[in-house]
Amino acid sequence: MITPERWEMGRGEAGAERERPDFRSPGHAAEARIEEPQVLLGRMASRLESVLIGKRETITQAMAALLAGGHVLLEDAPGVGKTMLARAFARVIGGRFARIQFTADMMPADITGGMIWDGEKNEFVYRPGPIMANLVLADEINRTPPRTQSALLEAMEERCVTVEGETRRLPEPFLLIATQNPLAYEGTYPLPEAQLDRFLMRLEIGYPAPSDEVRMLEEAGASRQTRPEELRPVVTTGEWRQMQREAGRVYVHPSLCEYIVRVAGATRQASELSLGASPRASRDWLRAAQARAYMEGRAYVLPHDLLDTAMPVLCHRIAARPGADRTMALQRILKETPLPEGDRPGGGRR
């Protein structure tokens, strides 16, 4: 039996022991933190929830995706807080924030920037686009045609943009939060599969519970509602980069990597699906599980970290055949694929 202690120690078949990363020291970082990372992350979540009341799990998942160095797609009906959550993230992380309001007539240069004539220098110079920011809000991304949406592909994966044959690096960290309305809404375009695959997580906010909606109305009626622009940064961009590096060092037992591959392989062979999970999806699933473990203060991944992140990481990357449902297909695959011993749904950790 593989116990949590074995996940932590990372003993392989040869019995070699892996050194546990020390999250309490700054390591290679330029400056030491005054507080533990998990304290800072908890404070960030609390401040975000003061804006988006009652949505702690959505906030936690979004934080894990960004901590893993990925991007987030928020898809839901208008008015549930998608844009507000993105703006709040920009405030608590710090750094430069830019918002791109996507419209039907937007051009790729409106995102990446372009060359303009400088009369003083008597030459063309590069004018940075809004993509040159630490956290970018791509608002209503599916209201612009696919040609303009594709302008984000290089930025999302390579962290750079190419304009007039010259490649320019984006600032670090670079985080993209995109919002979109359901495709049934008028004036929307489907995102290309290649772009969907570059979002580490797709999340839905959903309507608030009645008690949370009452609290929201009470605070709004008394002018006590917290607005995103009122939030103060919890970390600097340097601290956030440091936490991203530390999350990437969280240990993953080989049997968990094998489990990820089995699930991904099952999606590629499922009769209900026409498109299975890509290798990028497998990588992103592992990174999301590392981030969830790091947020809980663990230096090792447990199987439940994978289960907690499976649906938001994988579901938007697969496609169902006519008459089938991709969510139900993925749920079936997760249920039928045996977990490594040590942690099972409903059974607690062994």
Side-chain angles (χ1 to χ4, degrees):
M1 179 183 299
I2 303 175
T3 64
E5 289 75 18
R6 182 153 180 180
W7 300 120
E8 177 180 3
M9 298 306 296
R11 295 180 184 273
E13 294 182 358
E17 196 170 294
R18 182 186 178 104
E19 182 182 357
R20 172 174 175 158
D22 183 8
F23 295 148
R24 295 171 297 177
S25 63
H28 57 273
E31 56 184 84
R33 287 183 298 256
I34 299 176
E35 295 180 279
E36 293 285 340
Q38 289 68 40
V39 174
L40 296 174
L41 292 169
R43 185 174 302 141
M44 289 176 62
S46 297
R47 292 191 183 180
L48 292 169
E49 195 174 12
S50 69
V51 172
L52 195 66
I53 298 173
K55 297 298 180 180
R56 188 64 174 245
E57 179 58 24
T58 301
I59 290 170
T60 299
Q61 293 282 35
M63 288 180 60
L66 298 177
L67 192 62
H71 311 295
V72 176
L73 176 63
L74 298 174
E75 180 180 341
D76 217 319
V80 296
K82 303 186 299 295
T83 303
M84 185 166 58
L85 177 59
R87 290 167 53 205
F89 261 111
R91 293 293 301 174
V92 298
I93 292 178
R96 186 180 169 219
F97 169 70
R99 174 178 177 172
I100 307 173
Q101 182 63 55
F102 282 79
T103 58
D105 59 351
M106 178 173 283
M107 301 297 291
D110 296 327
I111 299 172
T112 61
M115 306 300 291
I116 63 171
W117 180 256
D118 188 323
E120 294 183 1
K121 296 181 179 179
N122 201 33
E123 63 180 1
F124 284 98
V125 296
Y126 174 65
R127 181 194 63 185
I131 199 68
M132 289 289 182
N134 296 114
L135 194 146
V136 176
L137 167 59
D139 210 7
E140 296 188 302
I141 189 174
N142 61 335
R143 288 202 179 277
T144 196
R147 178 189 173 207
T148 304
Q149 293 172 3
S150 64
L152 291 172
L153 293 179
E154 183 183 21
M156 294 174 69
E157 184 66 18
E158 307 297 334
R159 301 304 202 271
C160 62
V161 293
T162 301
V163 178
E164 298 292 334
E166 183 175 349
T167 300
R168 294 173 172 83
R169 298 293 303 175
L170 298 177
E172 293 187 358
F174 172 71
L175 310 169
L176 178 75
I177 300 180
T179 70
Q180 73 170 0
N181 296 319
L183 293 179
Y185 281 58
E186 185 177 355
T188 60
Y189 300 83
L191 297 182
E193 288 83 356
Q195 187 171 0
L196 281 173
D197 199 41
R198 283 166 167 79
F199 284 103
L200 192 144
M201 283 191 189
R202 172 189 169 275
L203 300 173
E204 296 179 356
I205 295 178
Y207 293 111
S211 58
D212 294 326
E213 194 164 4
V214 168
R215 178 185 164 193
M216 180 189 72
L217 293 175
E218 289 175 346
E219 292 187 358
S223 298
R224 291 185 286 106
Q225 189 174 20
T226 304
R227 305 178 66 84
E229 54 269 21
E230 297 172 352
L231 298 178
R232 298 180 60 186
V234 176
V235 296
T236 64
T237 54
E239 289 172 325
W240 184 256
R241 285 286 295 149
Q242 180 181 335
M243 289 192 286
Q244 285 181 322
R245 288 191 292 265
E246 291 172 348
R249 300 203 309 271
V250 169
Y251 178 72
V252 185
H253 195 276
S255 65
L256 296 181
C257 295
E258 295 169 2
Y259 173 74
I260 291 174
V261 172
R262 287 198 302 270
V263 171
T267 66
R268 299 163 192 166
Q269 301 172 4
S271 59
E272 311 100 304
L273 301 177
S274 60
L275 178 67
S278 67
R280 183 190 286 122
S282 300
R283 180 204 65 187
D284 286 353
W285 191 13
L286 181 144
R287 289 163 54 191
Q290 288 178 305
R292 285 295 295 252
Y294 179 79
M295 291 173 68
E296 294 182 10
R298 279 183 282 107
Y300 54 95
V301 171
L302 289 174
H304 80 82
D305 296 316
L306 292 172
L307 293 178
D308 290 343
T309 54
M311 296 302 294
V313 171
L314 300 178
C315 197
H316 65 285
R317 304 170 190 257
I318 60 179
R321 298 185 186 278
D325 183 274
R326 65 182 181 183
T327 301
M328 294 181 62
L330 182 55
Q331 289 174 339
R332 176 189 64 78
I333 290 171
L334 291 171
K335 183 178 180 181
E336 294 178 357
T337 305
L339 276 168
E341 295 183 3
D343 194 42
R344 296 187 180 276
R349 303 177 193 175
R350 298 180 184 178

